[in-house]
Amino acid sequence: MSDQHISNPDSLPRHVAVIMDGNGRWARRRGLPRRLGHRAGIAPVRSTVETCGKLGIDYLTLFAFSSENWSRPREEVTGLMRLFVESLRREVDELHENRVRLSFVGARERLPVNLVRLMGEAERRTAGNDGLRLIIATAYGGRWDIGQAARALAAEVAEGRRSVESIDESAVESRLALAGCPDPDLLIRTGGERRISNFLLWNLAYTELFFSETLWPDFDSAELYEAFAYFAQRKRRYGRTPEQLEVG
Ligand code: FPP
């Protein structure tokens, strides 16, 4: 499947989420330090953003750094933070020119202050753009997200601004990091593992899953099209029977 073969744009996902796994193994197989694997992971980020923008996909959410990644060796964590700072400095102009709206989700208070400042600047600068919404999950964990939503709702109850009875699925949803975004239609995970690894636990309830053996630095747009082709032939039932779908 190439872009010439996307005959029905309605069969494309509206929101794509990606777990970019395999940078470390990519580097090790070449006898290189892990940090060079993360560096090699920038090119597929660019090509994925470009392809999603070109196809008119509304939302792309990338898992760049998980709550659990803090326990990696200190040099690796510092190297990743430096890479995020460098990439933001280098890429934001071009993203802005391409009308990409950039935002970040995760526990910002744990990130280096210079990175947090650049993140805020990029968000403010691109806030009015009407192209692809690119969401980068940094210091993010699905359990952290649900926990912080619960805390926000509990605070509203404690302050008398909300009743306990009003806490339902939509109230929780409204306090999650991706509040207001449609749930991902398609999750892509590279690197051969078949798990969610504490990514968007709440939001992935009905998401179609595409697992690839390719290590993230080798993931290219041809494979992204393969993921879209896989998605296009899925029948999404949201808990209903196949017969109900035929009628509806
Ligand atoms: C997982 O591979 C990857 C990460 C923890 C970092 C992801 C970061 C990038 C792709 C860099 C660029 C991102 C942005 C948004 C600028 P791993 O290290 O767990 O690989 P392994 O499983 O082979 O060890």
Side-chain angles (χ1 to χ4, degrees):
M1 189 173 179
S2 70
D3 50 347
Q4 294 94 319
H5 293 100
I6 295 185
S7 47
N8 179 9
D10 290 342
S11 66
L12 279 170
R14 187 170 171 218
H15 184 173
V16 179
V18 187
I19 300 178
M20 308 177 286
D21 194 19
N23 295 346
R25 277 165 286 162
W26 184 93
R28 204 171 55 226
R29 282 180 197 176
R30 288 166 176 73
L32 299 170
R34 292 176 60 85
R35 69 184 161 77
L36 293 187
H38 295 312
R39 249 169 219 283
I42 298 291
V45 170
R46 288 188 67 129
S47 75
T48 302
V49 169
E50 261 170 43
T51 304
C52 288
K54 195 169 71 179
L55 294 177
I57 282 169
D58 291 335
Y59 298 84
L60 173 64
T61 302
L62 302 177
F63 203 6
F65 191 82
S66 75
S67 309
E68 290 71 33
N69 288 154
W70 289 115
S71 52
R72 291 197 173 194
R74 212 163 75 118
E75 329 67 91
E76 182 168 349
V77 173
T78 318
L80 271 169
M81 295 301 148
R82 201 171 296 142
L83 182 61
F84 296 150
V85 167
E86 253 179 54
S87 309
L88 266 181
R89 289 212 175 104
R90 209 178 29 230
E91 308 288 348
V92 171
D93 284 347
E94 194 178 331
L95 291 171
H96 188 43
E97 277 163 29
N98 286 294
R99 309 199 326 270
V100 172
R101 181 172 163 193
L102 191 55
S103 46
F104 297 87
V105 291
R108 274 180 214 221
E109 64 281 2
R110 293 195 66 184
L111 295 169
V113 279
N114 61 335
L115 175 57
V116 175
R117 185 173 47 77
L118 285 171
M119 284 160 53
E121 281 169 14
E123 285 177 330
R124 283 189 293 278
R125 184 157 168 223
T126 62
N129 289 345
D130 58 0
L132 175 72
R133 271 207 66 183
L134 174 60
I135 301 165
I136 313 247
T138 336
Y140 177 87
R143 290 179 176 178
W144 164 84
D145 198 1
I146 295 169
Q148 64 80 29
R151 197 176 331 112
L153 292 170
E156 289 175 30
V157 172
E159 289 159 15
R161 290 186 284 123
R162 168 185 286 285
S163 68
V164 169
E165 294 68 34
S166 74
I167 298 180
D168 56 9
E169 288 185 21
S170 78
V172 175
E173 201 279 330
S174 74
R175 289 291 177 268
L176 290 172
L178 292 190
C181 300
D183 287 341
D185 303 293
L186 174 66
L187 170 77
I188 298 171
R189 178 173 187 148
T190 61
E193 307 290 355
R194 294 172 173 242
R195 49 178 180 252
I196 304 296
S197 296
N198 197 19
F199 196 22
L200 302 158
L201 293 181
W202 178 284
N203 318 69
L204 293 174
Y206 288 103
T207 300
E208 299 293 335
L209 308 175
F210 180 86
F211 295 107
S212 157
E213 295 297 319
T214 304
L215 303 177
W216 176 251
D218 293 328
F219 187 81
D220 58 12
S221 55
E223 201 169 355
L224 184 58
Y225 282 114
E226 259 179 54
F228 292 157
Y230 165 83
F231 176 79
Q233 44 90 18
R234 301 299 304 157
K235 285 213 166 29
R236 307 186 74 195
R237 289 171 35 198
Y238 299 99
R240 287 168 293 172
T241 66
E243 294 73 24
Q244 282 176 306
L245 288 188
E246 273 160 32
V247 176

